[in-house]
Amino acid sequence: MKKLVICLAVLGSIFTGCSSDNNNGDTPAKTPVTGEISSNITANKTYAYGNYTLKGMIKVSSGVTLTFEPGCTITCDKSTGENGLIVLNGGKLIANGTADSPIVFTEKSKIGGSWAGIIMYGDAPIVNSATAPAPQTAVSEDGLNLTYGGSNAAHNGGSLKYVRVEYAGQVITTNSKENNGFSFYSVGTGTVLDHLVSYKGNDDGFEFYGGTVSLTNAISYGNSDDSFDWQDGWRGQDNTNWYAYQVGVANYGIEVESKSVDNAFWPKVTNITLRRAAGTTTEAQSEIQLDAIQFKKEGNGDYSNIVIDGFISQTTPTPYNGGAIQILDKATYDHQVAAGKIKLNNVKITNTPITFISGVPTAFTVTAASFVPASNWTVSTTATGATLTGGAWATVDGVNLLAKL
């Protein structure tokens, strides 16, 4: 009997050891699923980790939540027509990737302007008129002609973390049907926008149309118009770690406007890096003045810890003038700069010979002394700009997007 017990014990240890050696405690690798997204999302839907084809201008209905698991890749094909993902007011998009398993929206041809990108609507406040009563509304410029605006500052459109949009910025008719990498219409503070990348689109990387939402840890890389842009009185307060790298074709690093409304509020952004590669050309021959930050039509804001590099004038291949800070019009100079509503502090400027650019008419000249109070303009040699950690979320086709940071 003793011999039998000993034998069973030995056999048990042998099989237990074999099991441990074979598994090594690892979780079996998940196999990506495949599928197609070709109809509007009218009921709550979760797409498991996998590869999906997006066909059409897909809308997420009000009251509905669309979820993508980490690692999903969603691919459009411009040959099938207009494509985009639209989150209507009241709908939610939950796309929470990770640094190593981002959620990627891309296009088959890898040509900028091939699809409409991600468009989100809300009912947070906008201001586009100095005389109209609140709440104000407007009609979108994305060709959908949808109304945005309202009084719900806490609007919640979902959560986007570690999401990359590639080759978007579809422009059909200039000024009447334009899209960006990410377009946020009246999106509110209940929405999370964190670790997002807009890569090589044909228009702006990120654009805000009013609203109260904030954007953290963002990369705008190789977009053909402005890296970051807003209007309609956008007032996000918790923005930080913005990095723009302009290469190939580009306009402004940041374009700030407010529809000619002298607002009593402004957005706040900390830790900004704006870099332009040598030889970058303009989007259009009519653009002869391209700078790191442009303020126009009463645009304002509080910005700090800024690095500006590479915004130089050039004669070839496309002539243009470059500089750090442009104030385009006298109303913006009088009401925003001289009235203390533009704050630029801890600014480090390199490889950018011209600091201030005065716009039109020439009835004003911007200097450091123009900023009131004087503490609204301070320079530094130790500003660090954006601080971002790399990973798959910031890597495209083997290229580390943070290499120039």
Side-chain angles (χ1 to χ4, degrees):
M1 186 67 181
K2 284 183 179 180
K3 289 182 179 179
L4 178 60
V5 171
I6 292 170
C7 289
L8 290 173
V10 171
L11 287 171
S13 66
I14 291 172
F15 284 113
T16 301
C18 289
S19 174
S20 176
D21 288 344
N22 286 340
N23 255 339
N24 292 323
D26 294 337
T27 302
K30 294 177 68 175
T31 301
V33 300
T34 59
E36 182 176 288
I37 306 170
S38 55
S39 58
N40 292 333
I41 311 299
T42 57
N44 291 347
K45 175 70 176 178
T46 296
Y47 285 95
Y49 162 65
N51 302 308
Y52 300 92
T53 300
L54 181 72
K55 288 186 177 180
M57 297 292 282
I58 304 303
K59 299 180 179 67
V60 180
S61 299
S62 179
V64 172
T65 299
L66 170 62
T67 303
F68 288 100
E69 290 188 349
C72 282
T73 297
I74 302 92
T75 304
C76 302
D77 184 345
K78 67 178 182 179
S79 69
T80 64
E82 293 184 37
N83 304 295
L85 181 61
I86 303 103
V87 184
L88 299 176
N89 182 26
K92 289 184 180 179
L93 173 61
I94 306 297
N96 291 332
T98 67
D100 293 327
S101 294
I103 297 169
V104 179
F105 292 82
T106 189
E107 197 278 331
K108 184 178 178 181
S109 72
K110 297 188 177 183
I111 297 173
S114 295
W115 69 295
I118 294 177
I119 306 170
M120 182 178 288
Y121 284 89
D123 54 356
I126 69 170
V127 177
N128 57 18
S129 170
T131 57
Q136 295 184 24
T137 60
V139 176
S140 65
E141 63 179 39
D142 52 11
L144 299 173
N145 297 318
L146 297 177
T147 300
Y148 63 97
S151 56
N152 180 20
H155 158 263
N156 183 349
S159 178
L160 280 65
K161 296 181 179 180
Y162 294 101
V163 174
R164 188 167 70 242
V165 167
E166 303 174 351
Y167 312 113
Q170 188 176 48
V171 178
I172 306 299
T173 304
T174 302
N175 295 326
S176 65
K177 195 172 186 181
E178 298 186 8
N179 294 287
N180 310 287
F182 294 87
S183 301
F184 300 113
Y185 287 92
S186 295
V187 175
T189 56
T191 310
V192 175
L193 305 177
D194 180 59
H195 284 92
L196 305 186
V197 178
S198 183
Y199 179 80
K200 290 194 174 181
N202 193 48
D203 208 277
D204 300 326
F206 298 85
E207 183 154 7
F208 300 91
Y209 301 84
T212 55
V213 70
S214 293
L215 170 65
T216 57
N217 303 304
I219 301 172
S220 184
Y221 191 103
N223 292 293
S224 296
D225 196 352
D226 308 312
S227 299
F228 301 92
D229 191 358
W230 58 86
Q231 56 184 287
D232 294 329
W234 173 63
R235 61 188 87 178
Q237 292 295 295
D238 298 310
N239 306 279
T240 191
N241 289 327
W242 287 11
Y243 169 49
Y245 185 68
Q246 298 183 317
V247 60
V249 176
N251 287 345
Y252 297 98
I254 299 177
E255 185 176 59
V256 185
E257 74 155 283
S258 193
K259 292 287 182 69
S260 299
V261 181
D262 182 9
N263 292 313
F265 54 83
W266 47 78
K268 183 177 181 179
V269 189
T270 62
N271 307 337
I272 305 166
T273 298
L274 306 174
R275 295 193 190 277
R276 174 174 286 168
T280 302
T281 62
T282 63
E283 183 185 32
Q285 293 291 333
S286 59
E287 297 281 358
I288 60 171
Q289 185 67 57
L290 300 177
D291 306 301
I293 306 177
Q294 182 201 55
F295 294 92
K296 67 178 183 179
K297 296 182 179 180
E298 305 278 16
N300 58 17
D302 184 345
Y303 312 89
S304 60
N305 191 21
I306 306 164
V307 170
I308 293 172
D309 178 76
F311 288 82
I312 62 175
S313 301
Q314 69 177 34
T315 56
T316 60
T318 303
Y320 66 77
N321 301 315
I325 309 298
Q326 180 195 134
I327 308 299
L328 182 63
D329 54 271
K330 195 170 187 303
T332 302
Y333 176 86
D334 290 342
H335 301 156
Q336 308 305 323
V337 177
K341 296 180 182 179
I342 293 178
K343 304 176 182 182
L344 296 156
N345 287 301
N346 196 19
V347 183
K348 180 181 179 180
I349 302 173
T350 56
N351 195 26
T352 305
I354 303 173
T355 300
F356 297 111
I357 309 295
S358 304
V360 291
T362 57
F364 66 99
T365 300
V366 184
T367 64
S370 303
F371 290 83
V372 179
S375 60
N376 279 0
W377 169 262
T378 59
V379 295
S380 169
T381 59
T382 59
T384 58
T387 302
L388 297 166
T389 302
W393 77 284
T395 304
V396 181
D397 295 332
V399 176
N400 176 14
L401 304 186
L402 299 178
K404 303 292 185 180
L405 181 59

